[in-house]
Amino acid sequence: MRDHYDVIVIGGSAAGLSAALILGRSRRSVLVVDAGEPRNAPAEGAHNYLGREGVAPAELTRIGRDEVAAYGVEVTAGRVVATSVTEGTGADPVGFSVTLDSGAVVTSRRLVVASGTVDVLPDVPGLAEQWGRGVVHCPFCHGWEVRDGRIGVLVTTPNGAHHAQMFRALSDRVTAFVTDPALVDDTVIAGFRSRGIEAVDGPVTRVLSSDGVLTGVELGSGQVVPLDALAAASTVEPRVGFLEGLGLRAEDVVVNGFRFGGGLTVDAVGQTGVRGVYAAGNVTSPMATVIASAAAGAQAGAAVHGDLVQADIAAALAAAAEPAGQSTR
């Protein structure tokens, strides 16, 4: 690892590696810093990724790392703990300093933030142990794998009823566990009945498993409901604490009046509100799939290269305008 790069990419999953790939192919010096904590680590496969359908998340990362390495991109294991603005150099006044948990400090001309998110799960004993396996959150990401089974849906938010209806398209054995009667109204209940969704009122007190396989849930009454899968919504919080030195903070992401989580605000090409800092993936869009995150990373990488080209032009023009024997550097 050297001291300075054109671009430091924070996060080494789909978004970060896609940004690094396009930058490496543009002959930029790139460092990817990856803490090795991808959001999809518990899942057996990443789905809806055309050409790589069902690939194990770790395998997709391995393939991506091999691809970026072929273009000179460096990947280092570590966690970014702080970032700050530097003075830049010459005609390009933009620059950044990045501190790793090892104590190493590295600088760059631009940053790409692809640090992802953390799922904050409902506080139900046994649920976290099954997250990404018997407990799923997305009908697109995991629905096919649980099709035709006994699917429970934990209705803990105002969007939970819609969640149940989405899973009903995958199985005719869906049970909605309504944790709070205020989350549903007569119209919602009528919709459940019209499609054969059973609604159960009251709290789910425990997710049950046997030999690592989800078997059902226990209700507050002590009743056990056998299940093959349980769908539950998380609150999706971005990993952005290290950006405080740049003045960047996440904004709330609200869906149908309910706070789904948080994310960095970016423009169409991934530029944040801080000049020279770009972001892509779940850190900006908590509902983005793996392939969408990869596409956003590629877009951000292309935008960063274009930004650097403009800075290189300005530097070249400034150098050409200098009187002979003088330099502003």
Side-chain angles (χ1 to χ4, degrees), residues 10-17 33-46 55-62 65 77-79 114-119 131-132 137 142 236-237 239 282-283 288 290 293:
I10 304 172
S13 292
L17 290 175
V33 182
D34 184 33
E37 297 174 340
R39 180 186 180 192
N40 61 0
E44 291 184 359
V55 64
E59 176 65 5
L60 185 62
T61 299
R62 185 197 64 77
R65 286 190 174 194
R79 188 185 309 278
S115 47
T117 56
V118 174
D119 287 291
W131 183 248
H137 73 289
H142 307 287
V236 187
E237 303 295 355
R239 296 184 176 105
N282 282 157
V283 75
V290 178
S293 294

Side-chain angles (χ1 to χ4, degrees), residues 64-319:
R65 286 190 174 194
D66 287 347
E67 289 177 349
V68 301
Y71 297 101
V73 172
E74 296 179 47
V75 180
T76 189
R79 188 185 309 278
V80 173
V81 296
T83 53
S84 61
V85 176
T86 65
E87 294 182 355
T89 57
D92 184 4
V94 181
F96 303 95
S97 175
V98 172
T99 303
L100 308 187
D101 55 358
S102 65
V105 177
V106 193
T107 60
S108 66
R109 298 173 65 188
R110 301 293 183 272
L111 291 181
V112 175
V113 180
S115 47
T117 56
V118 174
D119 287 291
V120 180
L121 306 178
D123 186 16
V124 179
L127 188 148
E129 291 78 1
Q130 283 290 330
W131 183 248
R133 296 182 292 125
V135 177
V136 300
H137 73 289
C138 172
F140 302 111
C141 301
H142 307 287
W144 177 264
E145 284 64 43
V146 300
R147 67 193 185 282
D148 297 327
R150 298 167 298 178
I151 304 173
V153 180
L154 200 58
V155 180
T156 56
T157 75
N159 298 317
H162 178 67
H163 210 196
Q165 292 286 6
M166 294 287 281
F167 276 95
R168 174 61 183 85
L170 296 154
S171 175
D172 59 6
R173 297 185 289 170
V174 174
T175 301
F177 298 98
V178 182
T179 60
D180 181 351
L183 296 172
V184 298
D185 56 22
D186 291 344
T187 300
V188 169
I189 294 299
F192 284 166
R193 289 172 178 165
S194 71
R195 301 189 72 203
I197 298 174
E198 181 182 1
V200 176
D201 292 332
V204 170
T205 57
R206 192 158 55 108
V207 174
L208 306 174
S209 302
S210 177
D211 296 327
V213 177
L214 183 143
T215 58
V217 297
E218 182 178 324
L219 307 182
S221 64
Q223 177 188 357
V224 171
V225 181
L227 295 173
D228 301 306
L230 178 68
S234 65
T235 303
V236 187
E237 303 295 355
R239 296 184 176 105
V240 294
F242 57 86
L243 296 175
E244 288 185 1
L246 302 179
L248 276 174
R249 293 177 178 82
E251 302 292 334
D252 287 345
V253 175
V254 178
V255 180
N256 297 328
F258 175 76
R259 184 181 181 277
F260 183 86
L264 294 175
T265 299
V266 296
D267 66 13
V269 297
Q271 170 77 52
T272 70
V274 174
R275 172 82 172 84
V277 180
Y278 296 75
N282 282 157
V283 75
T284 71
S285 179
M287 290 182 288
T289 61
V290 178
I291 196 168
S293 294
Q299 178 67 73
V304 169
H305 176 59
D307 186 357
L308 288 171
V309 166
Q310 292 302 312
D312 293 341
I313 292 171
L317 290 173

